[in-house]
Amino acid sequence: ARNQSQVLSDLKSMAAQYLSVWGAQQFVEDMANITGELELQRKSLEVILGSGSAAAEMYSQLRDLSQQSPYTFEDLLKAHRQLAAFGIDAKNIYGTMKSLTDIGAGLDVPVERLILAYGHTKSYGYLSGIQNRQFETAGIDLVGALTKHYNDLADAEEKAGKAATHVTRADIFKRMRSRDIPFEDVEKVIMDLDKPGGKFYNMQIRQYDTLGGKLRNLRNNYRIMLSEMGESTHGILSFFVNSLNS
């Protein structure tokens, strides 16, 4: 019985040592993989922005935002690439992405859905029925927002003593069918949702301030921690990866 007990004890000790070594190896592999993935993302930013310094600044901004967002760092990097692909000016990409991710967080929808609707409207130059339905299914009453926008403009015209025409929701649909709602008007009402006083203003940070928001963000912050550790030990990681490949 004593010998059997000793064998079991030895097996437990060996298993603990194996798991310790395996855990350390897995940790290093995870760190290498995540560091490599984010390094490629940083290179993509350099291509999009055409500047290493601008890419480094944007990388830091997106990383910091992800640490207070329901979206991961990788989600935000992908959103940035998508907006660039739709022709959003480089200087406006971060602000546009911040607003769309705030709105997406408030509606609890993937930000890609909002980017597609917004980006296609930008590409066409006007609001179509298809894009309006995309906004509607994501939870945005764009027709109502446009109705209010045009009526606010009409009220301002009347106060200035000028002739003005107010609109109804039916009028918005008529304008939509005749392609008379320019992208700039859609952009205005969407971006207003994330301005001070807007329905979704700073929604990501507001969600992060809850316990649920902070718990949901743990995995993202862990991955960021691994990537920063990987950057600081880049030479060691390269040696490790090369050893695995050889």
Side-chain angles (χ1 to χ4, degrees):
R2 184 180 302 173
N3 288 340
Q4 185 178 14
S5 176
Q6 182 62 43
V7 168
L8 288 174
S9 177
D10 290 344
L11 286 174
K12 288 180 182 178
S13 177
M14 289 172 64
Q17 292 177 33
Y18 172 79
L19 289 174
S20 176
V21 172
W22 182 87
Q25 179 179 343
Q26 188 63 45
F27 179 81
V28 174
E29 286 182 4
D30 288 346
M31 182 165 56
N33 288 332
I34 292 168
T35 302
E37 289 171 14
L38 292 180
E39 190 173 26
L40 290 174
Q41 298 277 15
R42 193 197 295 260
K43 292 296 182 184
S44 295
L45 281 178
E46 289 183 15
V47 173
I48 291 170
L49 299 176
S51 164
S53 59
E57 181 179 356
M58 181 60 67
Y59 186 90
S60 296
Q61 285 182 308
L62 296 176
R63 180 198 60 208
D64 293 347
L65 177 60
S66 76
Q67 291 177 298
Q68 297 183 342
S69 170
Y71 299 110
T72 66
F73 190 15
E74 288 90 338
D75 289 336
L76 298 184
L77 286 163
K78 181 180 178 182
H80 187 282
R81 289 199 309 274
Q82 287 178 313
L83 288 169
F86 277 117
I88 306 299
D89 289 341
K91 66 180 183 297
N92 296 328
I93 291 179
Y94 179 81
T96 301
M97 187 210 61
K98 164 70 166 54
S99 293
L100 293 178
T101 48
D102 273 334
I103 296 168
L107 296 172
D108 194 24
V109 297
V111 71
E112 290 89 349
R113 290 174 59 183
L114 298 178
I115 290 175
L116 284 175
Y118 185 89
H120 283 140
T121 305
K122 168 76 164 63
S123 297
Y124 295 155
Y126 61 86
L127 178 66
S128 72
I130 294 175
Q131 272 65 65
N132 179 58
R133 283 192 292 276
Q134 288 178 325
F135 281 116
E136 280 184 336
T137 57
I140 297 176
D141 179 16
L142 196 56
V143 172
L146 287 166
T147 301
K148 182 180 183 303
H149 170 63
Y150 291 134
N151 285 335
D152 286 345
L153 292 177
D155 289 342
E157 292 287 297
E158 284 185 343
K159 287 181 180 179
K162 300 177 182 178
T165 302
H166 288 76
V167 299
T168 64
R169 292 178 67 94
D171 294 323
I172 298 299
F173 282 107
K174 289 178 183 177
R175 292 189 183 187
M176 204 183 302
R177 285 192 292 271
S178 59
R179 301 181 179 180
D180 285 337
I181 300 177
F183 166 72
E184 290 74 18
D185 291 350
V186 175
E187 179 183 37
K188 172 77 167 61
V189 298
I190 292 294
M191 294 300 108
D192 280 353
L193 292 173
D194 189 44
K195 287 184 177 178
K199 187 176 182 179
F200 301 108
Y201 178 61
N202 275 346
M203 181 57 72
Q204 293 172 95
I205 295 176
R206 285 155 58 189
Q207 285 189 354
Y208 175 76
D209 283 337
T210 67
L211 177 60
K214 291 178 180 179
L215 287 173
R216 186 165 54 177
N217 206 251
L218 278 176
R219 182 175 180 274
N220 176 68
N221 287 341
Y222 175 71
R223 288 175 64 83
I224 290 174
M225 179 196 73
L226 286 183
S227 73
E228 291 178 347
M229 291 175 64
E231 289 175 6
S232 65
T233 57
H234 194 277
I236 298 174
L237 280 181
S238 295
F239 174 78
F240 175 78
V241 173
N242 290 336
S243 298
L244 291 177
N245 288 331
S246 60

